[in-house]
Amino acid sequence: MTALLSIAGLTAHYGDFQALFGVDLTLDQGQTIAIIGANGAGKTTLMRAITGVARVTAGTVTLDGEDITRHPAPDILTRGIAMVPEGRRLFPSLTVEENLMIGAHARTGNGFWTLDRVQALFPILKDRRHNPGTALSGGQQQMVAIGRALMSNPRVLLCDELSLGLAPVVIKEIYAAFPQIKDSGTSIIVVEQDIGQALRVADHVHCMMEGRITLSGRPADLSRDAIHDAYFGVS
Ligand code: ATP
């Protein structure tokens, strides 16, 4: 089976600073993978390189057999890769519903995710649909950000640090929606510093350190010691 998303030898720079060193990974249709790693490991840069935002200096990103390396970000979105950015980045002057509808502008054709389905996934977004997005709690704002990305009917959903700054009970509530997102056929990459959450949600986990993938495997096959060493480095 050809992978839906395939990343090979991906290298990225900020000016002279090299942030990614030949990263390889694949994402299959319907699969959820997690990228874990400490602050500065390169997780966000990897997401930004996939979505055409970071400066890719070598390697390729292939979606459904098509080379999309260095394509402009809007083109990558309309081809079916949507990002839930770290910090949510809602539009403060728009209501919850208007924020969700922003995502619909990138829709290509019909797909599973409609406003009704997003509101059924997170019912609070229907109750609060006329509120300004920024009047919601952090967890509710995260739901808006996920809903907005789903409104583009992505084939691949990239989620950057969903749990950052949220209480454990709220994190649990957000991740409770993931089986439904997965069942819709959407493939998912989650970037997480919360290792426990990553291991629960993912079919496959990659650990990054200093711009490289240092460990990969299915959650059940990875020992705590191996994850610790790959996450923090072996001294
Ligand atoms: P975090 O969890 O803190 O977001 P991360 O694993 O996502 O960490 P990145 O944000 O990808 O890590 O950062 C990887 C490296 O690139 C770090 O050393 C960081 O300082 C550097 N970096 C990130 N963004 C920039 C930028 N805009 N300009 C220069 N260097 C950057």
Side-chain angles (χ1 to χ4, degrees):
M1 189 173 72
T2 321
L4 175 62
L5 181 71
S6 179
I7 290 160
L10 206 65
T11 296
H13 284 75
Y14 296 103
D16 290 338
F17 177 78
Q18 185 166 355
L20 294 182
F21 293 80
V23 171
D24 298 317
L25 65 83
T26 58
L27 175 71
D28 293 331
Q29 174 69 46
Q31 191 183 32
T32 299
I33 65 174
I35 317 277
I36 60 174
N39 269 341
K43 307 177 301 295
T44 297
T45 305
L46 178 57
M47 298 301 103
R48 290 163 57 88
I50 295 170
T51 52
V53 183
R55 187 164 68 90
V56 171
T57 42
T60 54
V61 181
T62 310
L63 179 67
D64 225 0
E66 237 183 298
D67 187 344
I68 59 164
T69 323
R70 297 187 199 86
H71 279 219
D75 177 64
I76 290 177
L77 177 61
T78 51
R79 281 168 188 269
I81 303 182
M83 173 109 164
V84 183
E86 190 178 325
R88 299 140 209 161
R89 307 224 197 107
L90 302 187
F91 295 95
S93 60
L94 301 183
T95 65
V96 165
E97 192 163 302
E98 287 165 343
N99 266 286
L100 292 175
M101 292 313 293
I102 291 279
H105 290 299
R107 279 175 98 86
T108 45
N110 293 323
F112 179 83
W113 291 104
T114 58
L115 185 61
D116 282 350
R117 286 195 170 125
V118 167
Q119 289 173 336
L121 184 70
F122 296 120
I124 190 78
L125 302 189
K126 186 164 189 180
D127 301 343
R128 302 285 171 88
R129 62 187 178 281
H130 299 308
N131 290 42
T134 47
L136 306 184
S137 70
Q140 291 164 353
Q141 289 189 29
Q142 193 62 276
M143 292 172 191
V144 178
I146 296 168
R148 181 179 61 187
L150 288 175
M151 287 295 290
S152 70
N153 260 313
R155 289 192 278 175
V156 179
L157 180 70
L158 307 179
C159 301
D160 197 0
E161 304 272 9
L162 293 183
S163 45
L164 208 66
L166 300 179
V169 62
V170 180
I171 297 170
K172 211 171 149 197
E173 196 184 345
I174 287 169
Y175 273 103
F178 273 64
Q180 270 172 275
I181 300 173
K182 197 175 168 169
D183 286 349
S184 76
T186 309
S187 307
I188 305 167
I189 302 182
V190 294
V191 163
E192 268 300 344
Q193 280 188 43
D194 181 335
I195 299 176
Q197 189 54 63
L199 295 175
R200 275 191 292 279
V201 76
D203 303 309
H204 208 91
V205 176
H206 300 279
C207 187
M208 286 186 78
M209 193 176 53
E210 294 174 358
R212 294 180 170 84
I213 291 182
T214 47
L215 180 74
S216 298
R218 292 184 308 158
D221 297 336
L222 299 177
S223 72
R224 281 195 173 270
D225 285 350
I227 292 172
H228 182 276
D229 291 350
Y231 199 99
F232 297 108
V234 189
S235 51

